[in-house]
């Protein structure tokens, strides 16, 4: 637990005896990324007292910062209070920046092609640990002359397996950090109960579903949780979610050479995506230590995309970011948790 796990009421408790407006001053300072010692609107003796209060300590200790893509992609490895490690990636684009945050240390979903999945589950992150990743990334973006505008919950872990804390983080990122809910995207492997809950939330965040296969037989092999929530059930939950607020749905599809990049795969995907109005994000599979199959070559990626387009489905090929520092999709934890990874094969 750390400073971003505290509510306004908690801050009011720490500031008992002070004028009420001090709570807002401290709250706003923390949201800017300042530690208590740097909140200059507070009197010096109060700052000193707050800076020494363990309840206001940060949750994340930056251990390493690695840059790629000419400095426009930065990956941080953060140590948590209990010594576990997570990773956060900031991607800068002209005029804006997106941060990719972790929601768990490790992941229990076991997708074999993903470095986080290969390493296994450690624990859920707290709300404050998620929010602090965004606050730190926003400060880094500001220092580089950019504004952090987008947050994707696509780092380590499965956000909907840590629903309550992640949703509380969404509300804080929206309410206190001032990011538009429409610029927040939750990516899920397909946890149907979580998608149903999302459909009932007031904030209109985006939903990305990591599909990777459009038939149960192949999806069972690539995404083990498919054995629990079958495609038909998943797609029904997506439809309900979409109808609830007419929101934007996307499918993530990691293109794996000879596995899910054939014409028949594109046709099956198009048949699912079109009625849902879903946008498809194609990501050529990034290499990870524990998975033998490669990403699809560029010609196969282009052909797959063309086939989707021919069937009336929009698809974007996601430019791979951060490959040189293992910050690309599915590579988080590749170096740090390599020892824990077990070798898995598609069959
Ligand atoms: N657990 C969530 C979010 C984190 S994974 C989910 O699975 O959606 C973020 C995205 O990276 C997912 O779409 C996931 O399928 C994808 N991914 C995982 N490993 C990958 C790899 N090796 N190459 C490309 N994408 C990968
Ligand atoms: Fe977990 Fe997502 Fe990786 Fe699957 S792809 S193991 S759900 S982080």
């Amino acid at each position: 637990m750390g400073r971003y796990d505290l509510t306004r009421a908690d801050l009011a408790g720490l500031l008992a005896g002070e004028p009420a407006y001090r709570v807002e001053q401290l709250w706003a300072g923390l949201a800017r990324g300042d530690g208590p010692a740097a909140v200059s609107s507070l009197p010096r003796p109060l700052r000193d007292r707050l800076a020494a209060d363990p309840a206001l300590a940060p949750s994340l200790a930056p251990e390493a910062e690695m840059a790629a893509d000419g400095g426009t992609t930065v990956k941080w490895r953060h140590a948590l209070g209990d010594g576990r490690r997570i990773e956060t990636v900031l991607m800068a684009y002209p005029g804006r920046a997106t941060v990719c945050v972790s929601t768990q240390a490790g992941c229990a979903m076991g997708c074999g092609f993903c470095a986080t999945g290969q390493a296994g589950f450690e624990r859920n992150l707290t709300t404050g640990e998620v929010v602090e990743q965004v606050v730190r990334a926003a400060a880094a973006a500001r220092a580089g002359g950019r504004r952090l505008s987008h947050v994707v919950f696509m780092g380590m872990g499965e956000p909907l397996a840590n629903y309550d804390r992640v949703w509380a983080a969404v509300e804080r990122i929206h309410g206190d950090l001032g990011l538009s809910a429409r610029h927040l995207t939750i990516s899920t492997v397909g946890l149907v109960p979580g998608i149903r809950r999302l459909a009932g939330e007031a904030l209109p965040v985006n939903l990305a579903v990591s599909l990777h296969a459009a038939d149960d037989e192949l999806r069972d092999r690539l995404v083990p949780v498919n054995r629990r929530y079958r495609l038909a059930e998943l797609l029904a939950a997506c439809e309900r979610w979409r109808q609830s607020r007419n929101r934007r749905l996307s499918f993530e599809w990691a293109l794996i050479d000879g596995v899910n990049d054939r014409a028949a795969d594109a046709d099956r995907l198009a048949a699912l995506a079109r009625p849902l109005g879903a946008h498809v994000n194609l990501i050529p599979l990034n290499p990870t230590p524990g998975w033998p199959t490669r990403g699809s070559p560029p010609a196969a990626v282009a052909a797959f995309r063309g086939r989707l387009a021919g069937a009336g489905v929009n698809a974007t090929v996601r430019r791979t970011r951060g490959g040189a520092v293992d910050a690309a999709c599915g590579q988080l934890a590749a170096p740090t948790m390599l020892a824990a990874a077990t070798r898995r094969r598609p069959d």
Side-chain angles (χ1 to χ4, degrees):
M1 299 291 269
R3 58 174 68 137
Y4 295 101
D5 286 297
L6 303 180
T7 62
R8 276 189 172 80
D10 295 328
L11 294 192
L14 295 177
L15 289 164
E18 298 286 336
Y21 58 82
R22 297 278 181 233
V23 174
E24 245 4 87
Q25 289 174 327
L26 178 57
W27 186 265
L30 294 178
R32 272 196 310 272
D34 294 338
V39 182
S40 52
S41 51
L42 301 176
R44 168 60 70 188
L46 180 58
R47 278 192 257 167
D48 291 344
R49 173 170 81 72
L50 295 173
D53 192 326
L56 282 168
S59 298
L60 308 180
E63 277 195 337
E65 177 177 310
M66 292 151 270
D69 305 323
T72 57
T73 301
V74 184
K75 176 174 92 165
W76 292 278
R77 191 171 71 227
H78 291 124
L80 307 177
D82 59 3
R84 299 188 192 280
R85 293 184 170 82
I86 57 157
E87 295 174 339
T88 309
V89 183
L90 177 66
M91 294 159 283
Y93 303 90
R96 67 183 179 90
T98 297
V99 65
C100 176
V101 297
S102 295
T103 56
Q104 300 180 312
C107 183
M109 298 298 135
C111 308
F113 53 83
C114 166
T116 311
Q118 289 159 18
F121 179 67
E122 298 187 355
R123 72 163 168 85
N124 284 324
L125 298 193
T126 69
T127 296
E129 286 165 342
V130 176
V131 171
E132 191 169 327
Q133 293 175 68
V134 179
V135 170
R136 286 175 181 270
R142 254 194 323 272
R146 288 190 176 83
R147 195 176 69 84
L148 183 76
S149 53
H150 290 70
V151 179
V152 294
F153 295 81
M154 292 186 185
M156 296 165 70
E158 166 52 41
L160 299 187
N162 186 16
Y163 192 101
D164 293 333
R165 298 181 187 91
V166 167
W167 192 258
V170 163
E171 289 183 328
R172 283 210 58 188
I173 292 163
H174 169 77
D176 296 325
L177 309 184
L179 271 76
S180 158
R182 294 189 186 278
H183 289 180
L184 311 182
T185 300
I186 292 185
S187 176
T188 179
V189 69
L191 298 189
V192 166
I195 296 172
R196 291 198 185 121
R197 276 184 77 181
L198 276 182
E201 301 286 2
L203 289 179
V205 300
N206 301 307
L207 179 66
V209 174
S210 299
L211 211 56
H212 308 312
D215 61 280
D216 282 314
E217 192 266 325
L218 178 59
R219 198 161 191 270
D220 281 351
R221 285 193 286 146
L222 294 176
V223 180
V225 80
N226 192 65
R227 295 177 204 141
R228 190 144 38 116
Y229 304 112
R230 315 298 289 165
L231 265 173
E233 198 187 349
L234 172 59
L235 295 165
C238 289
E239 171 62 13
R240 218 170 89 181
W241 179 86
R242 194 179 69 103
Q243 281 183 355
S244 70
R245 318 271 149 123
N246 200 17
R247 290 166 181 170
R248 188 181 142 125
L249 174 70
S250 54
F251 288 140
E252 311 285 305
W253 193 278
L255 277 165
I256 312 173
D257 192 18
V259 173
N260 65 355
D261 64 354
R262 300 154 299 182
D265 297 304
D267 294 345
R268 272 194 288 265
L269 169 57
L272 302 186
R274 223 163 82 103
L276 288 168
H279 186 89
V280 173
N281 286 313
L282 300 171
I283 322 152
L285 188 82
N286 292 308
T288 57
W291 185 257
T293 324
R294 314 208 138 243
S296 306
V301 174
F304 196 89
R305 182 177 179 219
R307 196 146 178 118
L308 289 176
V313 171
N314 284 326
T316 310
V317 179
R318 279 234 227 118
R319 225 188 91 208
T320 297
R321 283 278 198 135
V325 292
D326 282 338
C329 300
Q331 292 185 313
L332 297 183
T336 47
M337 292 195 208
L338 185 56
T342 49
R343 193 170 176 79
R344 286 178 215 214
R345 295 193 164 271
D347 282 309

